[in-house]
Amino acid sequence: MRGPLGAVIGRYPSSDGSTQVGGIIRHNRKCRDVAFLVIFIAFWVAMIVNSSFGFNKGNPLRLTYGLDYKGNVCGDRHAHPGLRELELTYWLNPNQVYLSGLKNSQFKLADARSICLLDCPIPSEDALNWVCDYPEGEIRLSVDDWIDRNYDYFEFLTPEMRNTSLQLQGPCYPVIFPSVNVYWRCQYVARASNVSLRHWQQMGGVNINEDIIIDKSIHRSINARSSVLKRYVADIGKSWPVLIVCGGLLPLFVSVIWLLLIRHFVAAMPWITVALFNILIIAVTMFYYLKAGWIGNDAISPIIGAHDPYYHVFGREQNHLHAAAVLMTFIMVVSILASVAIVHRILMATSVLKVAAKIIGEVQALIIFPVMPYAILGIFYMFWFGAAFYLFSSGQIVQNNCSSNCCAYDLASKRVNCDRCCGYSIHYTPHISIAIFFHLFGCYWATQFFIACSSTVIAGSVASYYWARGETSPEIPFLPVFSSMKQLIRYSLGSVALGSLVLPFVESVRFMLDSIRRKLKVANTTPEGCMGKTTYHTSRSCFQCIEWIIRSVNRNAYIMIAITGKSFCRASAIATELIISNILKIGRVNVIGDVILYLGKLCVSLSSALFAFLMLDTHKYRSAHNKISSPLLPVLVCWALGYVVATLFFAVVEMSIDAVILSFCQDSEEHQGTAQYAPPLLMETLGDQNEMQRLTQ
């Protein structure tokens, strides 16, 4: 059975049994959960090694641009020849593109001969245009001259070269089909130019297949899931200014303003928060509608640059935006109805927030303190995102094994080469997937760790305030925030590392189970019976409940760690027992306060998402090489970053309420229902019997 905690929280007895004088929170402590601190440090070392592998093997250009027939990444200035401005992949031989689109063909588009160009070629209206291979050997042109000539040096070819060109073996190839820039790939438009085709036939060229397949083959490659994923990751890299402004600076500013308003206008803030939340979620949903093309004429387009307005290309990103718009509609309706349902509880939330407002007024350093973990997390995220781009692009470029005829004229050897003429692809080994998963897990754990450290420091500061009767007592350290931080670093980092590990571990298990379920579904081995579906949905709901319980237990455990200096498991047990024994007294009060704080966090993150939409809608991100394929992922990342920043700052209010309520309950329990340590300012809200009855009914 748990003994009296007042002796633990208040004046700690020394080893000889006498009461220790010298501090409410400062007492005989020792390091706890050291093994998990060692694991956390080892994990960071592994993160650095894992990131070093990505920096060594990766090339972020691969996420956006394709490969040419030599295995070079388009746009790579270090390639041979230099391809710094040549960012578009163009397939030279239309018959190879047609062959790759046939249903039972063994020939793949990756083996079709491709080069990197500055723009997509279009047929001439009165002649036959040519696109020739990179100049080398007998073709003594620089790359710049080759570009200036629109990639055409057909007039310099020898009779032998002209003959092989008419056989579609190069080095020059006819421009029969128009092409458009679709995500830096020149996609053929299956409408052959009659003029160019007539000139080609008059010159004795081989037959060129005209069919819609030539369009669909490239389109299918562009919309492959791996290609879409790469573009999404590349979008984050291209929109890094948006992430800094909307995911970092804006939520910092809004969170500080919110805390200041809580301090001075606590009675109005719950109403303002609910109203602002409804406005923001409607605005964000409307932007999803706009980009999905359901309202207005500003839908995203996979085509880059000027093109025929009557030619449309449909990308997988548009489907994702449609799904996101439907999901946001559902969330919007549910959220608005829920916010309306809690309107009559606003007065209860106001009374609870008064507690935090009073504490912030007394311990004013709490408003500034979250800037420190915010800066640390900002540095970590810059490192993490940089390493993520390289890890996602860290595959090895290898030549394909193809059995099809891919013969082409080699300018260097001055002959048609049929050996090793297959194209190149990026090969991803299984250990790269493991490295990426490890990197994602590390981000989640590190984020939870820094948030937990911040929460523990705030809880310790508030506990010092409470157990010194809310006065400027000599028993409170001069700077309670820094004193609490010192105790955390010296004694409790291991406990915080353990607490922050539990939630990512549960999330990882749930993610792996969902992955297994999807694979079984693809393999058609998922139980279709009522029992199988019931088991799946029940297990999923259980994991969500476990996740919610862990979040709640962790937060209260951090409070008891800051107060008692116990290990994580022991602190969790103390906090849980204390809450259960006082559930009727604090349950509804705490829940309504948490709901308002949660809506406040959503307001900050929604404002980040809204401004991200506005920034991504500018010309910079809609044209040229900075064009993003979809605003979906950058907006979601800004949303997540905004929520993390809001969590850091709103923890000042959240942990203040929880720490004071836990301390108040324990104080009342040990003194026959009358709190002895609660300062007068808190007694006005929590100590008065009429007020307590009004809050709990």
Side-chain angles (χ1 to χ4, degrees):
M1 180 177 177
R2 174 172 61 85
L5 195 59
V8 180
I9 297 178
R11 299 177 182 273
Y12 278 71
S14 62
S15 57
D16 60 1
S18 61
T19 300
Q20 178 189 353
V21 179
I24 299 300
I25 302 299
R26 293 179 298 178
H27 54 274
N28 293 333
R29 297 192 179 207
K30 63 179 181 178
C31 295
R32 305 284 185 178
D33 299 317
V34 179
F36 289 95
L37 178 60
V38 174
I39 293 174
F40 184 71
I41 295 173
F43 183 85
W44 267 94
V45 174
M47 278 278 290
I48 295 174
V49 173
N50 189 53
S51 301
S52 300
F53 165 78
F55 286 121
N56 185 40
K57 299 293 185 180
N59 181 2
L61 290 177
R62 300 174 187 170
L63 299 174
T64 302
Y65 308 118
L67 304 177
D68 66 6
Y69 72 92
K70 294 184 177 183
N72 298 318
V73 180
C74 293
D76 189 359
R77 62 181 179 180
H78 300 296
H80 180 73
L83 305 175
R84 181 175 184 178
E85 297 180 351
L86 306 178
E87 301 174 342
L88 278 63
T89 303
Y90 178 73
W91 286 270
L92 294 167
N93 191 334
N95 279 357
Q96 288 183 337
V97 176
Y98 173 83
L99 185 62
S100 67
L102 295 177
K103 187 175 182 180
N104 297 320
S105 175
Q106 299 297 320
F107 190 83
K108 305 300 180 184
L109 185 63
D111 296 321
R113 198 169 187 84
S114 61
I115 61 173
C116 303
L117 302 180
L118 188 63
D119 50 12
C120 292
I122 57 175
S124 173
E125 296 180 357
D126 55 4
L128 178 61
N129 288 346
W130 298 83
V131 173
C132 301
D133 201 348
Y134 303 127
E136 58 181 335
E138 294 182 355
I139 307 301
R140 305 193 181 279
L141 290 175
S142 66
V143 173
D144 291 336
D145 292 337
W146 174 64
I147 295 174
D148 292 338
R149 296 179 58 88
N150 290 327
Y151 327 108
D152 183 358
Y153 52 75
F154 184 80
E155 60 182 282
F156 300 143
L157 298 185
T158 64
E160 180 187 1
M161 293 180 186
R162 293 193 178 195
N163 184 54
T164 55
S165 296
L166 293 174
Q167 300 299 317
L168 287 181
Q169 293 181 341
C172 292
Y173 297 82
V175 180
I176 303 296
F177 297 94
S179 57
V180 293
N181 181 358
V182 179
Y183 296 135
W184 293 273
R185 273 72 169 174
C186 291
Q187 176 171 324
Y188 284 143
V189 179
R191 294 197 301 263
S193 169
N194 293 329
V195 174
S196 299
L197 191 58
R198 185 169 60 252
H199 279 285
W200 170 255
Q201 293 170 348
Q202 290 174 355
M203 295 178 68
V206 298
N207 181 56
I208 292 180
N209 297 297
E210 302 177 60
D211 196 281
I212 192 66
I213 292 177
I214 202 171
D215 186 321
K216 292 184 177 180
S217 177
I218 298 176
H219 183 72
R220 189 163 52 244
S221 172
I222 292 174
N223 277 325
R225 292 183 178 178
S226 59
S227 300
V228 175
L229 177 60
K230 290 178 184 178
R231 289 198 294 271
Y232 276 142
V233 176
D235 288 343
I236 299 176
K238 294 174 187 177
S239 58
W240 64 265
V242 179
L243 301 186
I244 292 176
V245 174
C246 300
L249 300 180
L250 179 65
L252 169 65
F253 175 76
V254 175
S255 298
V256 172
I257 293 298
W258 198 90
L259 287 180
L260 293 176
L261 291 176
I262 277 287
R263 171 70 182 92
H264 298 286
F265 305 101
V266 63
M269 280 310 293
W271 300 98
I272 295 174
T273 301
V274 172
L276 186 62
F277 167 74
N278 290 327
I279 293 172
L280 286 172
I281 197 169
I282 292 173
V284 172
T285 304
M286 291 302 103
F287 262 104
Y288 275 106
Y289 279 25
L290 190 65
K291 293 303 176 182
W294 290 352
I295 58 175
N297 297 311
D298 196 28
I300 63 170
S301 173
I303 302 177
I304 302 172
H307 63 282
D308 184 351
Y310 296 101
Y311 181 74
H312 299 282
V313 177
F314 197 81
R316 193 185 288 265
E317 286 86 348
Q318 291 169 296
N319 288 333
H320 296 166
L321 272 177
H322 292 163
V326 172
L327 179 62
M328 280 301 302
T329 303
F330 175 76
I331 295 175
M332 178 185 68
V333 172
V334 173
S335 300
I336 292 176
L337 293 177
S339 63
V340 171
I342 67 169
V343 165
H344 65 288
R345 304 282 186 181
I346 292 295
L347 292 177
M348 184 185 298
T350 302
S351 300
V352 176
L353 291 177
K354 285 181 181 178
V355 177
K358 294 171 184 177
I359 295 173
I360 293 173
E362 295 291 331
V363 191
Q364 297 182 3
L366 288 176
I367 297 180
I368 305 174
F369 165 72
V371 175
M372 184 178 297
Y374 166 84
I376 296 174
L377 263 180
I379 295 172
F380 167 73
Y381 282 145
M382 285 189 287
F383 161 78
W384 187 88
F385 276 112
F389 297 140
Y390 281 88
L391 277 173
F392 270 94
S393 60
S394 57
Q396 184 179 4
I397 296 178
V398 296
Q399 190 168 24
N400 303 326
N401 292 321
C402 62
S403 57
S404 302
N405 181 15
C406 58
C407 299
Y409 192 91
D410 187 355
L411 288 171
S413 61
K414 302 179 182 179
R415 65 181 181 86
V416 174
N417 183 14
C418 295
D419 298 327
R420 297 186 60 81
C421 59
C422 300
Y424 286 79
S425 300
I426 301 176
H427 178 63
Y428 295 95
T429 56
H431 77 274
I432 295 178
S433 301
I434 297 174
I436 293 174
F437 178 79
F438 184 83
H439 198 66
L440 294 172
F441 181 85
C443 178
Y444 198 7
W445 189 7
T447 301
Q448 294 297 325
F449 177 80
F450 290 122
I451 292 176
C453 288
S454 177
S455 300
T456 306
V457 171
I458 294 170
S461 305
V462 175
S464 296
Y465 164 82
Y466 180 90
W467 292 101
R469 305 179 188 275
E471 302 173 356
T472 308
S473 168
E475 291 184 318
I476 289 188
F478 176 69
L479 291 175
V481 172
F482 290 101
S483 177
S484 181
M485 191 187 312
K486 179 181 176 181
Q487 290 182 351
L488 168 70
I489 296 174
R490 187 173 180 182
Y491 300 111
S492 303
L493 281 180
S495 300
V496 172
L498 172 58
S500 59
L501 173 63
V502 175
L503 189 59
F505 178 78
V506 173
E507 286 284 354
S508 300
V509 172
R510 192 175 74 171
F511 173 78
M512 287 187 289
L513 291 178
D514 284 343
S515 299
I516 294 173
R517 179 190 63 82
R518 285 193 295 268
K519 290 183 178 180
L520 291 176
K521 187 175 182 180
V522 171
N524 293 324
T525 56
T526 305
E528 295 295 338
C530 181
M531 182 63 68
K533 293 181 178 179
T534 303
T535 303
Y536 163 68
H537 290 293
T538 302
S539 61
R540 191 172 184 179
S541 300
C542 288
F543 267 105
Q544 291 176 346
C545 293
I546 291 172
E547 178 187 347
W548 181 84
I549 292 171
I550 288 175
R551 287 183 186 274
S552 178
V553 170
N554 278 11
R555 192 173 66 190
N556 293 294
Y558 297 145
I559 296 173
M560 302 314 295
I561 287 172
I563 294 175
T564 67
K566 298 293 184 180
S567 65
F568 174 78
C569 296
R570 178 57 180 157
S572 301
I574 294 174
T576 303
E577 185 176 350
L578 190 60
I579 291 172
I580 292 175
S581 61
N582 295 274
I583 190 67
L584 295 179
K585 185 183 293 185
I586 69 173
R588 297 177 65 183
V589 177
N590 212 11
V591 167
I592 296 300
D594 285 348
V595 169
I596 296 299
L597 291 173
Y598 181 65
L599 291 181
K601 295 177 189 177
L602 289 180
C603 284
V604 175
S605 57
L606 284 171
S607 64
S608 297
L610 182 61
F611 277 87
F613 265 123
L614 293 173
M615 287 189 67
L616 292 171
D617 204 36
T618 58
H619 179 73
K620 177 180 178 181
Y621 300 105
R622 301 180 64 176
S623 61
H625 63 278
N626 280 327
K627 177 181 171 67
I628 60 171
S629 63
S630 170
L632 181 61
L633 196 59
V635 167
L636 290 178
V637 172
C638 287
W639 191 332
L641 292 177
Y643 190 84
V644 171
V645 174
T647 300
L648 286 175
F649 283 86
F650 280 49
V652 173
V653 179
E654 201 168 22
M655 298 303 290
S656 295
I657 294 173
D658 290 348
V660 167
I661 288 179
L662 278 177
S663 300
F664 181 86
C665 291
Q666 181 59 40
D667 196 7
S668 301
E669 181 179 318
E670 293 187 2
H671 296 95
Q672 290 75 44
T674 303
Q676 297 294 321
Y677 282 89
L681 292 175
L682 296 178
M683 289 295 293
E684 294 177 6
T685 303
L686 295 178
D688 185 73
Q689 292 298 323
N690 294 330
E691 177 73 6
M692 181 59 68
Q693 291 176 5
R694 187 180 68 81
L695 291 176
T696 55
Q697 289 177 357

